[in-house]
Amino acid sequence: MDNTSATSRNRYIRVLKALLLMAVLVSGCSTAHYPVNATLAEHPSQVAGYALGNIKGDNNSDSLVLVLALSGGGYRAAALAHAVMAQLAATHIHWEGQQRTLLDEVDMISSVSGGSLAAAYFALRPEYFVEEFEQRVLRVDLQTSLLKKVLSPAGIWRQTSQTFGRGDLLQEVLDENIFKGKTFSDIPRRRPMVFINATDMRLGRRFEFTQDQFDHLCSDLNLFPVSRAVAASMAVPVLLSPITVWNQRSSCPVALQLRPVAGHDASSSYIHLVDGGLADNTGLNALLENVVIHGGLRRLGQAARLMNVRKRVIIVVNAQVAPQDSEEDSPRTPGFLRQLRSLVNIPIDRHAEAKVQHLADSVRTWQMELSDAKGSRGHQMLDDFHVIEINMSRARDSAQAKQLQHIPSGLSIEPQQLTQIRAFVRDELAANLQWKELLDEFPHRDLRANATLDLNQRCEMGEQLCEQRTSGPNGVIR
């Protein structure tokens, strides 16, 4: 055989091998499968399910109720949540005869998307959240880690499965880098109650990761990975595939007394979950819907074991920023990506504004409800509510507003952007009248404690404490 024939034969073999490989890829798929939520084997009260009725007060007082609503927006939202919660931790008050911080008094956190990163970490490690979260979460480039996993040969092959997708890869990245295999059984059963919220893809309703919700699926939330709940809350459609949970009701071995929940749908055998911001990007729906489900604010308080409440505080942490696109300075027709962003962002932003207004209307209704319950003393309840919104799109300083506009909502963030967010929170609270009015109502407040720099600020000043913080083990959740 001459050289020309040998070369042709080798080329033919290589082409044949390539065609065979393509045929295998087209006709065959990976058998990778996402983790399936476990069937409930015993009554949830016996397994101390993560539900409102099982949360204890411990050192948290009943008479002061503080609710945090954490919006979506990737790392920008997570950083904003952390900055606000650090300020709450630095705000010392005298209440019920004891010195506490406002962070100690948080009773409920509701979160979506990026805000769920902060909420979930706080739920697992409340004592260490302020000091750890920046270094162990916000300084971790999850975006690069996820992209590498998605584009790796193993990742590409696993995505050919009909039961595995990019959302499941996000869960793995979250677990490897942050949550280290922790499940809902690892969350302490003490206040605050944390609602991590996703969106039911079929119904467009909020889906909460609580045992009350999982009762309707005959599933044990205790065995469910926290990373998977956060991945569902962050699963932006198209960019990430939905997170799927199974409805096990058809073969449930347990007789359940089901409590009503907002996102229940008994007709679905499988619930496909996407970004929680699509149903409500403020995180307020968990509070608003639970009030309705329980038949009023007072009954919700009873379900949460909150008695003799004297003061109610709702803090909305909104990482929404004013849109800034180069197309606005050009006569050219906006491109596909710009149109896609508008398709997603416009409904979310408009719905967020409506939700905050809904809260204001609801507060007036709740005041009347409490006034009727108090009878002749009802007028004393009118000043009982404090609603504080920290909204990045309403930065008071124009230069600061431009800085915030350029902070993306991805899964990575620059150190100087974290500094900008912390500065915004300090400036916003310093000028916020509702915040000032709240603090003025606490007698003997420790003003010196409120002026104390948090750990991240001290690190920026080069103190030795910063070295001590970064010298520990690499694992995020210990």
Side-chain angles (χ1 to χ4, degrees):
M1 181 182 294
D2 57 27
N3 290 337
T4 303
S5 299
T7 301
S8 299
R9 182 174 181 276
N10 291 336
R11 185 183 297 114
Y12 172 78
I13 292 174
R14 288 197 299 270
V15 171
L16 182 60
K17 287 181 178 179
L19 291 174
L20 287 173
L21 178 60
M22 290 178 61
V24 169
L25 290 175
V26 171
S27 62
C29 293
S30 165
T31 58
H33 203 295
Y34 53 78
V36 177
N37 46 298
T39 302
L40 194 61
E42 53 184 329
H43 196 276
S45 63
Q46 296 173 322
V47 297
Y50 191 67
L52 194 62
N54 293 332
I55 304 300
K56 298 180 180 179
D58 287 353
N59 194 41
N60 180 300
S61 67
D62 289 357
S63 55
L64 171 59
V65 174
L66 200 159
V67 176
L68 285 179
L70 308 181
S71 82
Y75 264 25
R76 184 179 68 225
L80 181 64
H82 177 250
V84 170
M85 294 167 76
Q87 288 295 318
L88 295 180
T91 304
H92 291 248
I93 61 171
H94 186 81
W95 186 255
E96 300 288 4
Q98 296 184 31
Q99 289 290 338
R100 295 188 175 98
T101 73
L102 282 181
L103 190 62
D104 295 331
E105 288 295 332
V106 175
D107 297 278
M108 172 183 170
I109 300 177
S110 174
S111 64
V112 296
S113 198
S116 293
L117 267 175
Y121 198 101
F122 183 79
L124 286 164
R125 291 178 66 79
E127 297 89 352
Y128 308 99
F129 172 79
V130 172
E131 295 184 357
E132 291 183 352
F133 188 72
E134 177 177 331
Q135 191 66 28
R136 296 187 169 188
V137 180
L138 297 176
R139 299 276 181 163
V140 177
D141 185 355
L142 289 184
Q143 191 154 300
T144 297
S145 297
L146 177 60
L147 190 61
K148 286 181 178 179
K149 189 176 279 282
V150 168
L151 297 179
S152 68
I156 293 173
W157 171 243
R158 294 164 75 197
Q159 291 173 74
T160 64
S161 171
Q162 295 183 345
T163 53
F164 195 88
R166 293 181 300 281
D168 304 300
L169 291 175
L170 173 61
Q171 181 207 337
E172 292 183 357
V173 169
L174 290 170
D175 217 38
E176 292 164 2
N177 290 275
I178 299 174
F179 296 110
K180 306 296 182 182
K182 298 296 183 182
T183 66
F184 277 81
S185 66
D186 295 303
I187 298 179
R189 281 6 184 201
R190 64 175 183 266
R191 297 175 192 157
M193 174 72 192
V194 175
F195 291 83
I196 298 173
N197 302 293
T199 300
D200 184 322
M201 184 177 177
R202 173 172 171 258
L203 300 176
R205 295 179 185 168
R206 180 180 66 89
F207 180 98
E208 65 185 39
F209 285 90
T210 65
Q211 187 57 56
D212 288 341
Q213 177 78 75
F214 269 53
D215 280 354
H216 288 269
L217 309 178
C218 187
S219 185
D220 189 352
L221 183 65
N222 271 347
L223 304 178
F224 198 85
V226 174
S227 59
R228 191 158 180 80
V230 175
S233 186
M234 299 177 69
V236 178
V238 182
L239 294 178
L240 295 166
S241 59
I243 296 293
T244 300
V245 294
W246 290 25
N247 188 346
Q248 314 275 18
R249 285 278 298 281
S250 61
S251 57
C252 187
V254 180
L256 296 172
Q257 293 182 346
L258 300 176
R259 297 181 179 88
V261 291
H264 167 55
D265 180 29
S267 65
S268 297
S269 298
Y270 307 95
I271 296 90
H272 305 290
L273 302 173
V274 293
D275 193 312
L278 295 179
D280 164 37
N281 201 44
T282 64
L284 284 171
N285 266 358
L287 171 63
L288 296 170
E289 292 176 353
N290 269 287
V291 170
V292 174
I293 288 169
H294 285 84
L297 189 65
R298 291 178 65 248
R299 290 187 178 180
L300 174 60
Q302 293 169 358
R305 304 180 183 180
L306 291 165
M307 310 301 293
N308 302 315
V309 179
R310 292 161 49 198
K311 193 180 300 296
R312 296 169 176 83
V313 182
I314 303 170
I315 301 179
V316 183
V317 183
N318 192 344
Q320 173 187 353
V321 295
Q324 183 74 18
D325 291 287
S326 59
E327 286 87 347
E328 269 56 73
D329 298 320
S330 170
R332 293 177 295 180
T333 302
F336 172 76
L337 291 179
R338 175 68 176 89
Q339 296 175 54
L340 183 61
R341 287 199 302 271
S342 296
L343 186 66
V344 174
N345 291 337
I346 289 175
I348 288 178
D349 293 345
R350 290 181 64 86
H351 188 61
E353 294 175 4
K355 192 59 62 178
V356 173
Q357 181 58 49
H358 184 191
L359 173 64
D361 296 338
S362 297
V363 165
R364 287 190 285 271
T365 301
W366 297 340
Q367 286 178 323
M368 294 302 298
E369 173 194 339
L370 296 171
S371 177
D372 292 342
K374 290 284 184 177
S376 61
R377 294 182 296 148
H379 66 281
Q380 298 178 8
M381 302 300 299
L382 295 181
D383 295 328
D384 188 51
F385 282 89
H386 297 268
V387 178
I388 300 165
E389 184 183 13
I390 302 170
N391 190 327
M392 291 181 74
S393 68
R394 299 175 189 166
R396 301 165 195 267
D397 181 83
S398 58
Q400 191 176 64
K402 290 182 179 180
Q403 290 178 337
L404 298 175
Q405 283 178 349
H406 289 90
I407 301 178
S409 59
L411 295 179
S412 64
I413 193 167
E414 298 297 326
Q416 70 270 20
Q417 294 173 331
L418 296 174
T419 302
Q420 292 165 1
I421 289 175
R422 286 195 296 272
F424 161 73
V425 171
R426 290 195 299 270
D427 294 346
E428 173 64 21
L429 289 178
N432 191 292
L433 293 179
Q434 292 82 6
W435 174 257
K436 292 179 180 178
E437 290 174 1
L438 170 65
L439 297 189
D440 287 343
E441 293 187 11
F442 292 108
H444 311 299
R445 185 164 56 88
D446 188 344
L447 297 178
R448 291 174 301 172
N450 295 327
T452 301
L453 293 174
D454 65 28
L455 179 62
N456 296 312
Q457 293 168 288
R458 296 201 298 273
C459 280
E460 290 170 5
M461 296 173 66
E463 295 189 8
Q464 187 177 1
L465 181 61
C466 200
E467 298 178 4
Q468 297 173 354
R469 181 184 69 175
T470 57
S471 62
N474 292 327
V476 175
I477 298 290
R478 293 180 293 186

